[in-house]
Each structure stands twice: as structure tokens, then as C-alpha cells.
Amino acid sequence: MSAEKESSWIEGLRAGDSDSYREVVESTIGKLLVVARRYLNEDDARDAVQDTYLKLLSSIEKFRGDSSLLTWLQRILINECLMRLRKQKNRHETSIDEYLPSYLEDGHRVNPQPVWPDNYNTVLTREQRCNQVQENLMKLPEDYRLVIMLRDIEGFSGKEAAETLGISLAAVKVRLHRARQALRELLEPLMLEEAGDL
Amino acid sequence: MTCKEFIDFLIDYYDGNLSQEEREKFDAHIEVCPDCVAYLESYKSTVSLVKQTHADSEVGEDIEVPASLINAILAVQEK
């Protein structure tokens, strides 16, 4: 999308032009729904997307143009998703420690495994791999899952993730590293099993 | 440096945030520890997989958006 097109949309939104609004919705709704589905079930994802466009209409004057309109909408949407998640927080999650590596007294890892096969990324189809990663991401405790999603998927900086989640930058870093380690532990047996099937 | 220390500070190594001295300790450990080499590579692969698999779902334009959702969203402005 060109900068001129986006400027014209923003001008139209501020003037209450319905054609501009329709064009913005049609141009962005697919991407927003994909993002919302990462965090929420289908019904909640649709509600979050709907509320995002309500916020667009009520807050367009606040859009400063620091990012693209889509990026701004995505940030609003993610806050909508996080708000819904906070309300439905599951208190009975497994501790992240269950998924972190264990160490011997001398500092070596317990049961280290070999290097993943070079072709690990070709064994499954991309859709199968995506589903596999998503399934295992969902096993992580929410506080850790959200950090890895914001940092490694949504591309938030550490500072942006900290502000969005209401935690310190140091906490973002610790949680991100633990989340990555935990996901690695979950994926490793699957990667090695696939290699054994080759 | 122990393997535990290596893994604990891996995120700084991965992000290029180690001091020269710390980086030298990491590199020295990698020279002698195949387990940590394997861990580092699988850590990088994990991050790459997360980024890659969701990048594939970024297309957006190809996904089917329910007409009822679009209509509900457009109807808001018509009120």
C-alpha cells in the first residue's frame, strides 16, 4: 500500500468518510484476524477484531503516523487480545521450570541430545510445522508464551513488550529466554524422532 | 564457564550483547563443548521456527473472513 493511499484513508477516516472506512477494513481485516487467532479462540478473536475497528473510529485523531496504519491497528488488537486473556487467566498452569533444562552438579546438562538434523525444516509441510510449533507454544505458561509471541512473532522490541505487558524490560528478557528454552525442550524430541524416521 | 552458565547467558550471546571479554569466554566454551554447540544451534533453530511459521500465516489477504464479521464491522459506522 502506498503512503499516499494510506494518507488519503486517514484523512477520510477523520472526516467520517464511509468509503475510506470500508477500504481500510477490507484491506486489513484478514491480517488482523490471523493475529487475533494466535491469542484467542475464534469467537473471542472476532470480538477483539471488531472492537479494534471501534477503537479505530473513536481514536483516529490520536494516530500520529509513527508507524503504518496496519501496525497501529495490530497494536490495538494485541492489547484487546491481552485484555481478554487477563480476564480468563488460567491459574492452573504448569510451571515453566518443568520445561527448562536440568543440570548436574558440575554444570553439565542432564541428558544432552545431538544436533538437530540439518533438514529438520523439510520433514513436515510448512502448515504441519506451524501447527506443531503452535501446539507446543500453547503448552507454555501464559506469562512466558505472551513474551515469546510479542518478541519473536509480532516483532515488538523489548521496551514495547515490557510496556504492553506491564512488566520490566529485565522481566521480558528473562521470560523470553526461558520461553525459548522451554519451547526448544518441547520441540527437540519431535525433531529427533522425525530424524529417526528418515 | 560451565554449560549452565553458557545457557543462562545465551540470550545475550544470541543478541550480540556480550562484552568482548564475555564473548571470548563463550567462544572458548564452544571450542571444547559439543553439547553446548548442539544446544546453541537448536536454540537458534527454535527461534527461527517460531518466526518462520508465523510469517507464513501473515498473508492475511488469502484467509477467508466471515461476511457476517465484515458486515458487523461496517455497520458500526453506518449508525
Side-chain angles (χ1 to χ4, degrees):
Chain A
M1 186 205 313
S2 69
E4 292 78 16
K5 186 68 185 168
E6 183 163 299
S7 291
S8 125
W9 279 346
I10 291 163
E11 204 177 302
L13 286 168
R14 288 180 173 148
D17 175 53
S18 57
D19 286 340
S20 296
Y21 178 60
R22 181 179 43 75
E23 287 175 20
V24 168
V25 171
E26 288 174 352
S27 173
T28 58
I29 192 168
K31 291 191 175 78
L32 293 189
L33 195 52
V34 163
V35 171
R37 284 169 173 165
R38 290 177 194 151
Y39 297 88
L40 303 168
N41 62 39
E42 184 64 20
D43 286 346
D44 288 344
R46 292 183 191 187
D47 285 348
V49 168
Q50 205 162 338
D51 285 351
T52 295
Y53 287 110
L54 284 176
K55 288 244 166 69
L56 167 68
L57 291 174
S58 64
S59 305
I60 187 63
E61 297 303 329
K62 294 181 188 170
F63 177 65
R64 295 190 303 270
D66 297 341
S67 66
S68 70
L69 186 58
L70 176 61
T71 299
W72 190 64
L73 285 170
Q74 283 175 330
R75 298 292 161 101
I76 293 173
L77 171 66
I78 287 167
N79 278 312
E80 286 292 322
C81 292
L82 294 180
M83 193 177 61
R84 282 166 171 76
L85 284 172
R86 277 181 211 119
K87 288 182 184 169
Q88 39 175 275
K89 190 164 175 65
N90 177 7
R91 298 284 171 195
H92 303 289
E93 291 178 320
T94 306
S95 164
I96 191 81
D97 292 334
E98 299 270 333
Y99 302 118
L100 295 179
S102 306
Y103 299 92
L104 302 169
E105 280 187 18
D106 63 1
H108 283 95
R109 267 194 303 145
V110 171
N111 199 27
Q113 296 297 315
V115 177
W116 292 3
D118 284 341
N119 61 347
Y120 73 86
N121 214 11
T122 60
V123 175
L124 303 182
T125 66
R126 289 180 97 89
E127 187 183 352
Q128 287 171 325
R129 185 66 76 200
C130 180
N131 290 339
Q132 187 188 63
V133 172
Q134 183 64 20
E135 273 171 31
N136 284 283
L137 266 175
M138 293 307 291
K139 293 177 183 173
L140 302 183
E142 189 175 274
D143 287 346
Y144 294 86
R145 183 173 67 250
L146 290 179
V147 172
I148 196 173
M149 287 178 75
L150 292 186
R151 292 282 282 124
D152 288 346
I153 296 174
E154 311 300 350
F156 280 38
S157 68
K159 184 170 178 287
E160 287 167 338
E163 284 171 1
T164 302
L165 295 171
I167 59 177
S168 69
L169 189 53
V172 166
K173 183 177 161 183
V174 168
R175 290 186 196 183
L176 176 62
H177 187 38
R178 288 184 174 176
R180 287 171 171 174
Q181 289 184 73
L183 185 60
R184 195 211 75 88
E185 293 290 310
L186 287 167
L187 291 177
E188 182 160 74
L190 304 173
M191 297 296 172
L192 296 178
E193 186 183 337
E194 286 165 19
D197 291 341
L198 294 173
Chain B
M1 172 174 279
T2 66
C3 298
K4 184 177 186 308
E5 287 165 339
F6 178 88
I7 290 171
D8 282 348
F9 287 98
L10 193 52
I11 191 168
D12 290 317
Y13 181 84
Y14 181 81
D15 290 340
N17 291 333
L18 294 178
S19 68
Q20 179 66 25
E21 189 187 335
E22 288 166 333
R23 178 66 194 251
E24 284 169 6
K25 287 181 186 171
F26 262 71
D27 288 341
H29 186 80
I30 285 174
E31 287 289 313
V32 301
C33 186
D35 288 345
C36 283
V37 171
Y39 192 93
L40 171 60
E41 291 308 311
S42 59
Y43 184 92
K44 286 186 199 172
S45 298
T46 299
V47 177
S48 174
L49 276 171
V50 174
K51 291 182 180 181
Q52 212 178 77
T53 51
H54 280 281
D56 288 345
S57 63
E58 281 293 302
V59 176
E61 292 91 358
D62 295 338
I63 78 152
E64 201 177 310
V65 181
S68 57
L69 177 60
I70 297 178
N71 292 340
I73 288 168
L74 293 178
V76 167
Q77 207 204 24
E78 290 162 11
K79 290 184 184 168

